[in-house]
Amino acid sequence: MSIKGGGFNRKSSASDKIPDSSLADIAFLLLIFFMVTTVFRTDKEQDIIWPQAEATEKIDEKRDDILNVWMTQAGEIFINDQPIQMSQVSPLVAPLYVETDQRLVVSIRSDREVPYRLIDEMQEQLKAAGVVRVVFATELEQRMTRARR
Amino acid sequence: MAVLQKKSKVSDEIPSSSMADIAFLLLIFFLVTTVFPKDKGLAIVLPEPNAEDQEINPKNLMFFLVQPDGRIQIKRGESEQLQTIEANAVEATWRQDYSQNENLIAVVQTHPEAAYRHMINVLDGLQTAGADKISLQVQEGG
């Protein structure tokens, strides 16, 4: 009644090769995805902790028309990787605003612990430069992570 | 003529065995260099530099006072009465008051030493509730 050879010797008819004919297709698909989503030329991310907000929305603006203003917890301000003083913000931003035909949107990327005094001064500087469209950059807050509203 | 008819021994196919390698090389390059854009946030429109001050009926104002410790107090119109609320109650409070007065303007008055995130919490609540007339101010005198 025993099975001949323990039943292990029978050769499988399935191929033991991993099919690789579609490998190039997969690679190209990924390649095209990354080519499309890649953006070169961005300024360096400063080390900040983002504030969170539920109403966070995507800013539908051309990347060239968005200017990032970084404000770190230590109170430093960076525009295009350059550390600058608060009083220099307005003279620096005003010409950029004219260059972009007034389409410029300033994204304030501030650490969540920065005292509001600095944020207010920044708004005054931007106002003086004529920039009226401002975004407080935030991270999307998931409804789950927050106690019930 | 005879020369032209001789079959070439060279293959007429483009060698494609290294195509996957090329694709992967490019893929890795783009993988490494990709930075996903992070253009998200709460959009606001600041007033024009020399905008005229407008007279607003105080009863159309609703003040949200953000204190340094993160407490939020609301003050309605001319009333001096302060009511302390939780950050997550801003949305519901606004909805309720707005349903009674459609001309209501939200005034967020933040203490100069209050952390940015406390102000963002209030602004978030207001924007979630669909408020479009929001004024951002700093508390005078600290």
Side-chain angles (χ1 to χ4, degrees):
Chain A
M1 278 305 278
S2 65
I3 300 166
K4 211 198 265 178
F8 286 108
N9 281 346
R10 188 141 46 112
K11 279 225 173 112
S12 165
S13 59
S15 162
D16 57 356
K17 298 249 167 35
I18 298 167
D20 59 358
S21 57
S22 60
L23 196 68
D25 300 337
I26 298 165
F28 271 111
L29 197 81
L30 284 167
L31 176 60
I32 288 165
F33 170 72
F34 279 99
M35 281 177 75
V36 169
T37 53
T38 294
V39 179
F40 295 100
R41 196 202 65 79
T42 43
D43 48 353
K44 198 172 115 243
E45 278 216 4
Q46 302 296 330
D47 190 17
I48 63 166
I49 306 171
W50 299 89
Q52 296 193 321
E54 230 176 66
T56 302
E57 49 185 311
K58 209 174 171 316
I59 308 306
D60 274 329
E61 210 49 53
K62 275 198 278 161
R63 285 191 65 77
D64 288 346
D65 292 340
I66 299 178
L67 179 72
N68 294 334
V69 176
W70 297 87
M71 298 174 79
T72 65
Q73 204 184 342
E76 300 157 303
I77 301 162
F78 291 90
I79 295 179
N80 289 330
D81 293 339
Q82 297 294 317
I84 70 164
Q85 297 294 315
M86 182 66 84
S87 56
Q88 295 171 320
V89 171
S90 185
L92 189 109
V93 173
L96 291 174
Y97 185 58
V98 176
E99 259 174 50
T100 57
D101 294 333
Q102 284 144 40
R103 276 175 284 127
L104 191 72
V105 175
V106 171
S107 171
I108 298 182
R109 303 181 162 210
S110 170
D111 190 281
R112 60 166 92 166
E113 297 298 337
V114 166
Y116 187 71
R117 177 168 38 85
L118 296 176
I119 309 288
D120 184 64
E121 279 174 38
M122 179 59 74
Q123 289 179 43
E124 292 302 322
Q125 289 287 325
L126 294 176
K127 247 188 251 177
V131 181
V132 292
R133 295 173 65 200
V134 169
V135 175
F136 293 117
T138 49
E139 240 170 22
L140 182 65
E141 182 175 18
Q142 302 297 330
R143 209 165 256 264
M144 299 288 284
T145 64
R146 156 176 285 207
R148 219 199 70 77
R149 250 179 206 273
Chain B
M1 283 299 137
V3 178
L4 289 181
Q5 272 158 0
K6 191 157 55 157
K7 278 225 174 118
S8 166
K9 281 194 186 122
V10 178
S11 164
D12 57 355
E13 275 164 39
I14 299 166
S16 62
S17 58
S18 62
M19 191 155 81
D21 300 339
I22 298 166
F24 271 110
L25 198 82
L26 283 165
L27 174 61
I28 289 163
F29 170 73
F30 280 101
L31 268 168
V32 169
T33 54
T34 294
V35 180
F36 287 97
K38 194 184 184 303
D39 299 322
K40 299 180 296 182
L42 305 174
I44 55 157
V45 179
L46 296 177
E48 299 283 339
N50 32 28
E52 288 168 29
D53 283 353
Q54 289 178 11
E55 284 296 321
I56 290 162
N57 189 340
K59 89 173 190 278
N60 289 336
L61 293 176
M62 184 168 176
F63 292 91
F64 293 82
L65 308 175
V66 182
Q67 303 299 350
D69 53 5
R71 267 182 312 135
I72 295 154
Q73 297 169 320
I74 54 175
K75 191 167 73 134
R76 294 183 176 86
E78 286 167 308
S79 144
E80 282 300 312
Q81 204 184 347
L82 290 174
Q83 182 191 346
T84 304
I85 59 167
E86 293 292 320
N88 53 20
V90 170
E91 183 189 346
T93 313
W94 172 261
R95 277 192 205 279
Q96 202 187 358
D97 278 57
Y98 189 74
S99 66
Q100 287 160 15
N101 180 0
E102 298 229 317
N103 298 318
L104 204 60
I105 296 172
V107 182
V108 182
Q109 279 190 342
T110 313
H111 190 280
E113 296 307 321
Y116 177 50
R117 69 188 159 94
H118 298 314
M119 186 281 272
I120 288 291
N121 281 342
V122 176
L123 190 62
D124 183 21
L126 291 172
Q127 291 207 347
T128 307
D132 51 359
K133 280 176 280 183
I134 302 172
S135 169
L136 299 177
Q137 301 177 355
V138 68
Q139 284 174 28
E140 301 292 338

PDB file of all heavy atoms in Angstrom, chain A residues 89-113:
ATOM      1  N   VAL A  89      12.393  90.915   4.801  1.00  0.00           N
ATOM      2  CA  VAL A  89      11.444  90.066   4.076  1.00  0.00           C
ATOM      3  C   VAL A  89      10.704  90.870   3.015  1.00  0.00           C
ATOM      4  O   VAL A  89      10.644  90.487   1.854  1.00  0.00           O
ATOM      5  CB  VAL A  89      10.446  89.413   5.055  1.00  0.00           C
ATOM      6  CG1 VAL A  89       9.329  88.721   4.303  1.00  0.00           C
ATOM      7  CG2 VAL A  89      11.163  88.419   5.948  1.00  0.00           C
ATOM      8  N   SER A  90      10.190  92.019   3.432  1.00  0.00           N
ATOM      9  CA  SER A  90       9.385  92.818   2.515  1.00  0.00           C
ATOM     10  C   SER A  90      10.175  93.272   1.280  1.00  0.00           C
ATOM     11  O   SER A  90       9.723  93.071   0.152  1.00  0.00           O
ATOM     12  CB  SER A  90       8.791  94.009   3.274  1.00  0.00           C
ATOM     13  OG  SER A  90       7.931  94.705   2.444  1.00  0.00           O
ATOM     14  N   PRO A  91      11.388  93.871   1.464  1.00  0.00           N
ATOM     15  CA  PRO A  91      12.159  94.263   0.280  1.00  0.00           C
ATOM     16  C   PRO A  91      12.537  93.082  -0.624  1.00  0.00           C
ATOM     17  O   PRO A  91      12.712  93.251  -1.819  1.00  0.00           O
ATOM     18  CB  PRO A  91      13.430  94.905   0.861  1.00  0.00           C
ATOM     19  CG  PRO A  91      13.228  95.048   2.305  1.00  0.00           C
ATOM     20  CD  PRO A  91      12.029  94.281   2.717  1.00  0.00           C
ATOM     21  N   LEU A  92      12.663  91.889  -0.030  1.00  0.00           N
ATOM     22  CA  LEU A  92      13.048  90.726  -0.824  1.00  0.00           C
ATOM     23  C   LEU A  92      11.869  90.159  -1.593  1.00  0.00           C
ATOM     24  O   LEU A  92      12.013  89.713  -2.735  1.00  0.00           O
ATOM     25  CB  LEU A  92      13.638  89.661   0.115  1.00  0.00           C
ATOM     26  CG  LEU A  92      14.295  88.474  -0.585  1.00  0.00           C
ATOM     27  CD1 LEU A  92      15.786  88.545  -0.401  1.00  0.00           C
ATOM     28  CD2 LEU A  92      13.763  87.163  -0.066  1.00  0.00           C
ATOM     29  N   VAL A  93      10.708  90.171  -0.973  1.00  0.00           N
ATOM     30  CA  VAL A  93       9.547  89.530  -1.588  1.00  0.00           C
ATOM     31  C   VAL A  93       8.894  90.427  -2.637  1.00  0.00           C
ATOM     32  O   VAL A  93       8.410  89.947  -3.651  1.00  0.00           O
ATOM     33  CB  VAL A  93       8.515  89.123  -0.497  1.00  0.00           C
ATOM     34  CG1 VAL A  93       7.238  88.604  -1.117  1.00  0.00           C
ATOM     35  CG2 VAL A  93       9.118  88.069   0.416  1.00  0.00           C
ATOM     36  N   ALA A  94       8.936  91.743  -2.402  1.00  0.00           N
ATOM     37  CA  ALA A  94       8.259  92.670  -3.310  1.00  0.00           C
ATOM     38  C   ALA A  94       8.675  92.490  -4.775  1.00  0.00           C
ATOM     39  O   ALA A  94       7.810  92.363  -5.644  1.00  0.00           O
ATOM     40  CB  ALA A  94       8.470  94.107  -2.834  1.00  0.00           C
ATOM     41  N   PRO A  95      10.005  92.463  -5.097  1.00  0.00           N
ATOM     42  CA  PRO A  95      10.374  92.260  -6.508  1.00  0.00           C
ATOM     43  C   PRO A  95       9.942  90.898  -7.055  1.00  0.00           C
ATOM     44  O   PRO A  95       9.571  90.796  -8.235  1.00  0.00           O
ATOM     45  CB  PRO A  95      11.900  92.388  -6.519  1.00  0.00           C
ATOM     46  CG  PRO A  95      12.349  92.452  -5.114  1.00  0.00           C
ATOM     47  CD  PRO A  95      11.182  92.733  -4.260  1.00  0.00           C
ATOM     48  N   LEU A  96       9.948  89.865  -6.212  1.00  0.00           N
ATOM     49  CA  LEU A  96       9.516  88.540  -6.664  1.00  0.00           C
ATOM     50  C   LEU A  96       8.042  88.567  -7.042  1.00  0.00           C
ATOM     51  O   LEU A  96       7.609  87.929  -7.997  1.00  0.00           O
ATOM     52  CB  LEU A  96       9.732  87.497  -5.560  1.00  0.00           C
ATOM     53  CG  LEU A  96      11.175  87.155  -5.226  1.00  0.00           C
ATOM     54  CD1 LEU A  96      11.222  86.231  -4.021  1.00  0.00           C
ATOM     55  CD2 LEU A  96      11.851  86.495  -6.414  1.00  0.00           C
ATOM     56  N   TYR A  97       7.284  89.337  -6.283  1.00  0.00           N
ATOM     57  CA  TYR A  97       5.850  89.448  -6.526  1.00  0.00           C
ATOM     58  C   TYR A  97       5.584  90.087  -7.885  1.00  0.00           C
ATOM     59  O   TYR A  97       4.722  89.634  -8.639  1.00  0.00           O
ATOM     60  CB  TYR A  97       5.228  90.293  -5.410  1.00  0.00           C
ATOM     61  CG  TYR A  97       3.737  90.403  -5.436  1.00  0.00           C
ATOM     62  CD1 TYR A  97       2.952  89.262  -5.384  1.00  0.00           C
ATOM     63  CD2 TYR A  97       3.110  91.637  -5.521  1.00  0.00           C
ATOM     64  CE1 TYR A  97       1.576  89.357  -5.408  1.00  0.00           C
ATOM     65  CE2 TYR A  97       1.736  91.740  -5.536  1.00  0.00           C
ATOM     66  CZ  TYR A  97       0.970  90.594  -5.484  1.00  0.00           C
ATOM     67  OH  TYR A  97      -0.392  90.677  -5.516  1.00  0.00           O
ATOM     68  N   VAL A  98       6.381  91.098  -8.206  1.00  0.00           N
ATOM     69  CA  VAL A  98       6.227  91.769  -9.501  1.00  0.00           C
ATOM     70  C   VAL A  98       6.647  90.825 -10.624  1.00  0.00           C
ATOM     71  O   VAL A  98       5.982  90.737 -11.655  1.00  0.00           O
ATOM     72  CB  VAL A  98       7.061  93.073  -9.523  1.00  0.00           C
ATOM     73  CG1 VAL A  98       6.991  93.738 -10.888  1.00  0.00           C
ATOM     74  CG2 VAL A  98       6.585  94.022  -8.428  1.00  0.00           C
ATOM     75  N   GLU A  99       7.745  90.086 -10.404  1.00  0.00           N
ATOM     76  CA  GLU A  99       8.251  89.157 -11.424  1.00  0.00           C
ATOM     77  C   GLU A  99       7.227  88.118 -11.839  1.00  0.00           C
ATOM     78  O   GLU A  99       7.190  87.703 -12.988  1.00  0.00           O
ATOM     79  CB  GLU A  99       9.476  88.405 -10.864  1.00  0.00           C
ATOM     80  CG  GLU A  99      10.807  88.924 -11.339  1.00  0.00           C
ATOM     81  CD  GLU A  99      11.936  88.207 -10.614  1.00  0.00           C
ATOM     82  OE1 GLU A  99      11.914  86.954 -10.586  1.00  0.00           O
ATOM     83  OE2 GLU A  99      12.817  88.894 -10.065  1.00  0.00           O
ATOM     84  N   THR A 100       6.436  87.657 -10.891  1.00  0.00           N
ATOM     85  CA  THR A 100       5.480  86.596 -11.201  1.00  0.00           C
ATOM     86  C   THR A 100       4.121  87.152 -11.617  1.00  0.00           C
ATOM     87  O   THR A 100       3.125  86.441 -11.592  1.00  0.00           O
ATOM     88  CB  THR A 100       5.258  85.681  -9.981  1.00  0.00           C
ATOM     89  OG1 THR A 100       4.819  86.491  -8.884  1.00  0.00           O
ATOM     90  CG2 THR A 100       6.515  84.941  -9.575  1.00  0.00           C
ATOM     91  N   ASP A 101       4.099  88.422 -12.019  1.00  0.00           N
ATOM     92  CA  ASP A 101       2.833  89.058 -12.426  1.00  0.00           C
ATOM     93  C   ASP A 101       1.767  88.938 -11.345  1.00  0.00           C
ATOM     94  O   ASP A 101       0.604  88.668 -11.622  1.00  0.00           O
ATOM     95  CB  ASP A 101       2.310  88.455 -13.732  1.00  0.00           C
ATOM     96  CG  ASP A 101       3.227  88.770 -14.898  1.00  0.00           C
ATOM     97  OD1 ASP A 101       3.909  89.804 -14.833  1.00  0.00           O
ATOM     98  OD2 ASP A 101       3.258  87.976 -15.849  1.00  0.00           O
ATOM     99  N   GLN A 102       2.181  89.131 -10.125  1.00  0.00           N
ATOM    100  CA  GLN A 102       1.270  89.156  -8.987  1.00  0.00           C
ATOM    101  C   GLN A 102       0.545  87.840  -8.748  1.00  0.00           C
ATOM    102  O   GLN A 102      -0.525  87.814  -8.159  1.00  0.00           O
ATOM    103  CB  GLN A 102       0.269  90.301  -9.144  1.00  0.00           C
ATOM    104  CG  GLN A 102       0.928  91.627  -8.826  1.00  0.00           C
ATOM    105  CD  GLN A 102       0.451  92.759  -9.696  1.00  0.00           C
ATOM    106  OE1 GLN A 102      -0.729  92.835  -9.982  1.00  0.00           O
ATOM    107  NE2 GLN A 102       1.348  93.619 -10.101  1.00  0.00           N
ATOM    108  N   ARG A 103       1.140  86.766  -9.262  1.00  0.00           N
ATOM    109  CA  ARG A 103       0.529  85.460  -9.010  1.00  0.00           C
ATOM    110  C   ARG A 103       1.155  84.786  -7.787  1.00  0.00           C
ATOM    111  O   ARG A 103       0.779  83.680  -7.427  1.00  0.00           O
ATOM    112  CB  ARG A 103       0.694  84.553 -10.240  1.00  0.00           C
ATOM    113  CG  ARG A 103      -0.389  84.800 -11.289  1.00  0.00           C
ATOM    114  CD  ARG A 103      -0.147  83.983 -12.528  1.00  0.00           C
ATOM    115  NE  ARG A 103       0.939  84.567 -13.319  1.00  0.00           N
ATOM    116  CZ  ARG A 103       2.000  83.910 -13.737  1.00  0.00           C
ATOM    117  NH1 ARG A 103       2.140  82.641 -13.457  1.00  0.00           N
ATOM    118  NH2 ARG A 103       2.934  84.495 -14.448  1.00  0.00           N
ATOM    119  N   LEU A 104       2.129  85.439  -7.202  1.00  0.00           N
ATOM    120  CA  LEU A 104       2.900  84.824  -6.127  1.00  0.00           C
ATOM    121  C   LEU A 104       2.032  84.461  -4.912  1.00  0.00           C
ATOM    122  O   LEU A 104       1.201  85.244  -4.476  1.00  0.00           O
ATOM    123  CB  LEU A 104       4.007  85.782  -5.677  1.00  0.00           C
ATOM    124  CG  LEU A 104       5.064  85.179  -4.749  1.00  0.00           C
ATOM    125  CD1 LEU A 104       5.959  84.233  -5.516  1.00  0.00           C
ATOM    126  CD2 LEU A 104       5.900  86.270  -4.119  1.00  0.00           C
ATOM    127  N   VAL A 105       2.246  83.237  -4.447  1.00  0.00           N
ATOM    128  CA  VAL A 105       1.598  82.800  -3.209  1.00  0.00           C
ATOM    129  C   VAL A 105       2.713  82.491  -2.223  1.00  0.00           C
ATOM    130  O   VAL A 105       3.658  81.788  -2.561  1.00  0.00           O
ATOM    131  CB  VAL A 105       0.750  81.532  -3.442  1.00  0.00           C
ATOM    132  CG1 VAL A 105       0.176  81.029  -2.131  1.00  0.00           C
ATOM    133  CG2 VAL A 105      -0.368  81.809  -4.424  1.00  0.00           C
ATOM    134  N   VAL A 106       2.632  83.038  -1.051  1.00  0.00           N
ATOM    135  CA  VAL A 106       3.667  82.782  -0.055  1.00  0.00           C
ATOM    136  C   VAL A 106       3.176  81.701   0.894  1.00  0.00           C
ATOM    137  O   VAL A 106       2.072  81.769   1.428  1.00  0.00           O
ATOM    138  CB  VAL A 106       4.028  84.062   0.723  1.00  0.00           C
ATOM    139  CG1 VAL A 106       4.929  83.725   1.894  1.00  0.00           C
ATOM    140  CG2 VAL A 106       4.723  85.048  -0.186  1.00  0.00           C
ATOM    141  N   SER A 107       3.996  80.683   1.033  1.00  0.00           N
ATOM    142  CA  SER A 107       3.660  79.597   1.938  1.00  0.00           C
ATOM    143  C   SER A 107       4.487  79.765   3.209  1.00  0.00           C
ATOM    144  O   SER A 107       5.704  79.649   3.180  1.00  0.00           O
ATOM    145  CB  SER A 107       3.973  78.273   1.232  1.00  0.00           C
ATOM    146  OG  SER A 107       3.854  77.201   2.111  1.00  0.00           O
ATOM    147  N   ILE A 108       3.818  80.073   4.295  1.00  0.00           N
ATOM    148  CA  ILE A 108       4.513  80.245   5.573  1.00  0.00           C
ATOM    149  C   ILE A 108       4.683  78.878   6.212  1.00  0.00           C
ATOM    150  O   ILE A 108       3.713  78.240   6.604  1.00  0.00           O
ATOM    151  CB  ILE A 108       3.749  81.202   6.512  1.00  0.00           C
ATOM    152  CG1 ILE A 108       3.652  82.593   5.876  1.00  0.00           C
ATOM    153  CG2 ILE A 108       4.436  81.290   7.875  1.00  0.00           C
ATOM    154  CD1 ILE A 108       2.960  83.613   6.742  1.00  0.00           C
ATOM    155  N   ARG A 109       5.917  78.418   6.254  1.00  0.00           N
ATOM    156  CA  ARG A 109       6.200  77.093   6.799  1.00  0.00           C
ATOM    157  C   ARG A 109       6.877  77.297   8.133  1.00  0.00           C
ATOM    158  O   ARG A 109       8.091  77.399   8.223  1.00  0.00           O
ATOM    159  CB  ARG A 109       7.091  76.323   5.836  1.00  0.00           C
ATOM    160  CG  ARG A 109       6.406  76.243   4.493  1.00  0.00           C
ATOM    161  CD  ARG A 109       7.181  75.485   3.480  1.00  0.00           C
ATOM    162  NE  ARG A 109       6.263  75.102   2.412  1.00  0.00           N
ATOM    163  CZ  ARG A 109       6.380  74.024   1.684  1.00  0.00           C
ATOM    164  NH1 ARG A 109       7.384  73.211   1.874  1.00  0.00           N
ATOM    165  NH2 ARG A 109       5.501  73.743   0.750  1.00  0.00           N
ATOM    166  N   SER A 110       6.059  77.350   9.144  1.00  0.00           N
ATOM    167  CA  SER A 110       6.570  77.709  10.453  1.00  0.00           C
ATOM    168  C   SER A 110       6.449  76.534  11.404  1.00  0.00           C
ATOM    169  O   SER A 110       5.532  75.734  11.303  1.00  0.00           O
ATOM    170  CB  SER A 110       5.782  78.904  10.979  1.00  0.00           C
ATOM    171  OG  SER A 110       6.091  79.125  12.330  1.00  0.00           O
ATOM    172  N   ASP A 111       7.387  76.490  12.316  1.00  0.00           N
ATOM    173  CA  ASP A 111       7.314  75.495  13.374  1.00  0.00           C
ATOM    174  C   ASP A 111       6.095  75.773  14.237  1.00  0.00           C
ATOM    175  O   ASP A 111       5.698  76.920  14.424  1.00  0.00           O
ATOM    176  CB  ASP A 111       8.583  75.569  14.223  1.00  0.00           C
ATOM    177  CG  ASP A 111       8.688  74.417  15.198  1.00  0.00           C
ATOM    178  OD1 ASP A 111       8.013  74.474  16.258  1.00  0.00           O
ATOM    179  OD2 ASP A 111       9.424  73.474  14.902  1.00  0.00           O
ATOM    180  N   ARG A 112       5.499  74.720  14.762  1.00  0.00           N
ATOM    181  CA  ARG A 112       4.240  74.925  15.479  1.00  0.00           C
ATOM    182  C   ARG A 112       4.386  75.666  16.804  1.00  0.00           C
ATOM    183  O   ARG A 112       3.422  76.171  17.342  1.00  0.00           O
ATOM    184  CB  ARG A 112       3.550  73.585  15.728  1.00  0.00           C
ATOM    185  CG  ARG A 112       4.372  72.609  16.544  1.00  0.00           C
ATOM    186  CD  ARG A 112       3.503  71.493  17.003  1.00  0.00           C
ATOM    187  NE  ARG A 112       3.532  70.381  16.058  1.00  0.00           N
ATOM    188  CZ  ARG A 112       3.077  69.167  16.344  1.00  0.00           C
ATOM    189  NH1 ARG A 112       2.555  68.936  17.516  1.00  0.00           N
ATOM    190  NH2 ARG A 112       3.133  68.204  15.469  1.00  0.00           N
ATOM    191  N   GLU A 113       5.614  75.744  17.323  1.00  0.00           N
ATOM    192  CA  GLU A 113       5.807  76.393  18.613  1.00  0.00           C
ATOM    193  C   GLU A 113       6.264  77.850  18.498  1.00  0.00           C
ATOM    194  O   GLU A 113       6.527  78.492  19.507  1.00  0.00           O
ATOM    195  CB  GLU A 113       6.824  75.616  19.457  1.00  0.00           C
ATOM    196  CG  GLU A 113       6.398  74.197  19.811  1.00  0.00           C
ATOM    197  CD  GLU A 113       5.131  74.148  20.648  1.00  0.00           C
ATOM    198  OE1 GLU A 113       4.813  75.150  21.310  1.00  0.00           O
ATOM    199  OE2 GLU A 113       4.448  73.103  20.626  1.00  0.00           O
TER     200      GLU A 113
END
